[in-house]
Amino acid sequence: MLLVRLLLGLLPSREPGSPVPVIFPLASWDPDRLELDAWLAERLATDYPGLAAPAPAPAAGGPGQVTSRARALLDQRLIIPLLDGFDELPAHTRAVALDAVNRALPPGTPLVLTSRTAEYRTAVEPPAGVGVRLTGAAGIELRAVDPEEAAAYLRRDAGGEGTPSAERWRPVLSLLPTDTPVGQALCTPLMLFLARTIYNPRPGERPAAFPDPAELCDTTRFPTAAAVRAQLFDGFIPAAYRPLPGHPVRWTSRQAQQTLTFLARHLEADLHGGADLAWWQLRLAVPETARRLLAGAALGASMILLTLLSFSLGILVAFVPYRFGDLDLLAEFFAVPQLPLGLWDNVILRWSLLWNFAVGCAAYLPLGWLLSHVFRLRERNTPAVRGRWSWNRRSLLLGLGTAVLVGTGLDFLFDRVAGIGWGAVAGLVCWLITAWSAAPADLTSVTSPQELLRQDRKTFWTFVRTGALLGLLSGLLLGVLLGYLTGDLRDIDPLDALVGSTWFGCAIGFWSGLVFGLAAALHRTAWGDFTLSRLYLAARHREALPRHLMAFLADAHQVRGVLRQVGPVYQFRHIDLQRRLSRHTEAPPLPAPARAARPEDAEGRPLT
């Protein structure tokens, strides 16, 4: 917050053409992997996609050298880096980070670096090894909250001077000006906020049913300020999720504790301690092999469902008085023996149908994995806002390869008609779908994670509809062509051949287009992968993730105050809360109003 106020204070006094202050959260920087300039350029291009474009010729460097706008701004010293959270870097990389800052920014370059005092001093003067100092830097240390202001804040939030709730704070407030553990702990706005959330009742709640804040004065239980802070962090989630008067209980404090603990561990383990909780990055909590199998299984299952639907419709069509085509064409479509209509009640035929259908369904699963693997070659896991055409040679070659592969296989298994029909439609649809890419969302202009999810989900279904429509139109055109080929290769009435092949081509085209559209949607947008990952994690960690995760996150931000929203992502209220939750092992006692009246066991169940 101090950096935000500094940035807002610097902007009005900025002259045209002078450097622009920009805040960079250091938690996502790995100084062992990237130099500071490279990381700053990467962050600028991510947060402001327009800066990823090539710089104009005068700023692009030497001849033949292409530089992004972000890198050009940094090279010309038109950015003032406000580096936030030096203490959030891993301890073993802090000295390396300071050295990288010195090398990237020469003396006299404007710079602000924020850190906790102890962590910065340890990096500058390590117990062992060579220390590193930030060249030309002046140290500014923030003062602790004045004890009188802290006392007034706690009393006012409890209902005001003289109220029973405010009187409960008297033992604690008497120790604020001292060096006791509770006095040292309650000297920052964060700790004061946690304390009032845990120990002050809301309107409609009885103060007598709450834990007494005087317990923080017990030096036996809390011998150090760190122990007091740990107690406040542990009690914050149960207090934030205690039942609100007049509101239904959607998530209990135990469920919220498990979900937030899982998300904190996801940020620490999968995102290397980053603070941005983005819904499209939840996939990183799923192992890579499992993600590939999930996408393949989803495509295979969709093929099975579509085949089952086509099979059912085909049987109905066979009994419609109007002849859409000969039964042998229908049998060929489902890979069953060509038998007259009178033998459909034969038991052997029924088993043959079931057997061929089961074999076909079993083959769809590896086919789905293969299709997913092909589309993964141009995978995008960032949220999308719309689809767009991008004609390229790679898509055309992929379509031709699909046509040859499918057509050759079916020509070998069945006949030339099936090979030409399936191959041509599959190749054309594959080419059109792979040429249909997604335009990434501008994360700087998105107002909320829910809005970004809605846009990406809309783009997902646009891919599916586009694939089905393209497949249907392609099948219609090619079905007419196959009608003439069927009339030449077989002794069939030309009208029956034309009508039957047209129906056949439309069915094959719609089936192929829908499957290819779904495959493209899964690998061009983020919603499909997010949905599969959420279902997988909900099944594997049964109580860790709720069914409606986005609603839970919105409630944690808007109602509970556990999360804060920064554009399209959420963040924990404080990085220390995130790290404390990531190390959480068991739920702390619940300071709920009903605790005194109805005791609970260790599992949170009421004792009878």
Side-chain angles (χ1 to χ4, degrees), residues 239-495:
Y241 280 87
R242 61 181 182 243
L244 296 173
H247 290 76
V249 178
R250 190 171 184 181
W251 295 285
T252 65
S253 59
R254 181 181 180 83
Q255 292 171 331
Q257 182 83 50
Q258 292 174 332
T259 301
L260 293 170
T261 298
F262 175 85
L263 295 175
R265 290 174 178 170
H266 162 61
L267 290 175
E268 292 293 320
D270 304 319
L271 298 178
H272 310 289
D276 292 345
L277 183 58
W279 58 263
W280 61 91
Q281 292 181 331
L282 186 67
R283 61 185 181 84
L284 299 179
V286 181
E288 178 66 22
T289 302
R291 290 207 307 270
R292 292 174 180 267
L293 293 177
L294 282 173
L299 291 176
S302 66
M303 294 182 193
I304 293 174
L305 292 177
L306 287 173
T307 302
L308 182 60
L309 178 62
S310 302
F311 186 82
S312 302
L313 292 177
I315 292 179
L316 292 177
V317 167
F319 289 95
V320 172
Y322 182 78
R323 294 184 64 201
F324 285 84
D326 288 350
L327 185 61
D328 59 347
L329 192 60
L330 177 67
E332 175 187 297
F333 176 71
F334 295 113
V336 298
Q338 299 180 10
L339 296 174
L341 186 61
L343 296 180
W344 275 82
D345 292 330
N346 190 285
V347 177
I348 299 178
L349 177 58
R350 292 178 180 176
W351 280 108
S352 177
L353 287 171
L354 293 175
W355 171 255
N356 283 278
F357 180 76
V359 171
C361 291
Y364 284 143
L365 294 178
L367 181 60
W369 177 86
L370 179 61
L371 187 61
S372 173
H373 182 75
V374 171
F375 275 86
R376 197 177 291 272
L377 297 176
R378 292 186 59 201
E379 184 176 33
R380 296 183 65 95
N381 289 306
T382 55
V385 290
R386 65 183 182 277
R388 64 182 180 186
W389 291 105
S390 59
W391 303 98
N392 56 83
R393 183 176 58 184
R394 191 174 184 180
S395 298
L396 180 59
L397 293 177
L398 183 61
L400 291 175
T402 302
V404 172
L405 181 63
V406 174
T408 303
L410 293 181
D411 186 20
F412 176 76
L413 293 175
F414 302 110
D415 57 24
R416 189 179 305 172
V417 174
I420 294 176
W422 276 91
V425 174
L428 182 60
V429 172
C430 180
W431 172 50
L432 294 175
I433 292 299
T434 53
W436 181 256
S437 61
D442 181 5
L443 300 182
T444 61
S445 63
V446 179
T447 57
S448 69
Q450 286 77 13
E451 175 64 19
L452 185 61
L453 180 66
R454 186 193 66 80
Q455 293 177 358
D456 189 79
R457 181 173 58 231
K458 182 179 178 180
T459 307
F460 178 94
W461 291 114
T462 299
F463 271 103
V464 177
R465 290 193 299 268
T466 301
L469 180 61
L470 290 175
L472 186 61
L473 293 177
S474 302
L476 177 62
L477 295 175
L478 293 172
V480 175
L481 175 62
L482 287 177
Y484 292 103
L485 292 177
T486 303
D488 294 338
L489 296 175
R490 300 178 182 178
D491 187 14
I492 302 177
D493 182 74
L495 180 61

Side-chain angles (χ1 to χ4, degrees), residues 45-75:
T46 301
D47 297 338
Y48 309 95
L51 297 181
Q65 182 179 0
V66 179
T67 303
S68 67
R69 294 176 181 266
R71 191 57 187 257
L73 290 174
L74 292 167
D75 291 341

